């Protein structure tokens, strides 16, 4: 049986509230679980102590039994000091989308095009300044 420590969604529409649960990975997200390990309220401020609450002793037990935390729960465990920090690498995060790439190409083409010559206009301005 493959075990997961994951979030089960509760709360009403637009007001999420999650339970941190230990469950069989084949069960539905909000379905049957083996044990509730804590809660997560994303509506609270990030520095609030009540944002993430979990029973560290039971989490360690389930990790010892082979349960795999999901990405979000793993971050909670890292913040709580129950797990070593994992280095994440997403090289595509900084790559612009298709529309932004097109706009950048257009801007570069405009910059590379020769600027129109404004010498006659500058000469007229200088002549007007000399007349005064």
């Amino acid at each position: 049986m493959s075990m997961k420590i994951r979030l089960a969604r509760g709360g009403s529409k637009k007001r999420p509230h999650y339970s941190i649960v230990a469950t069989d990975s084949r069960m539905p997200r909000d379905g049957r679980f083996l044990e509730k390990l804590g809660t997560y309220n994303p509506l609270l401020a990030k520095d609030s102590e009540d944002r993430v609450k979990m029973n560290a002793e039971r989490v360690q037990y389930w990790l010892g039994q082979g349960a795999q935390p999901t990405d979000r729960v793993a971050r909670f465990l890292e913040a709580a000091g129950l797990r070593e920090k994992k280095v994440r690498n997403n090289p595509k995060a900084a790559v612009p989308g298709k529309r932004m790439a097109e706009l950048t190409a257009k801007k570069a083409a405009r910059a590379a095009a020769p600027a129109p010559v404004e010498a006659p206009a500058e000469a007229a301005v200088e002549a007007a300044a000399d007349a005064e």
Side-chain angles (χ1 to χ4, degrees), residues 19-88:
S19 296
I20 301 171
V21 296
T23 183
D24 183 352
S25 64
R26 296 170 291 190
M27 291 295 134
R29 178 192 71 184
D30 301 334
R32 190 173 74 206
F33 58 87
L34 298 173
E35 184 177 357
K36 182 176 175 182
L37 304 173
T39 60
Y40 167 55
N41 187 352
L43 299 177
L44 295 177
K46 291 191 180 199
D47 57 352
S48 173
E49 292 181 15
D50 294 334
R51 184 174 167 101
V52 178
K53 291 182 182 178
M54 61 183 135
N55 185 343
E57 183 178 308
R58 294 305 294 168
V59 169
Q60 288 289 42
Y61 168 78
W62 283 108
L63 290 173
Q65 295 297 314
Q68 295 296 314
T70 59
D71 291 339
R72 178 60 53 188
V73 173
R75 287 178 188 241
F76 295 156
L77 297 176
E78 289 169 5
L82 299 176
R83 214 173 141 113
E84 65 278 349
K85 190 150 177 82
K86 182 180 173 186
V87 176
R88 293 174 179 82

Side-chain angles (χ1 to χ4, degrees), residues 115-121:
V117 179
E118 297 183 18

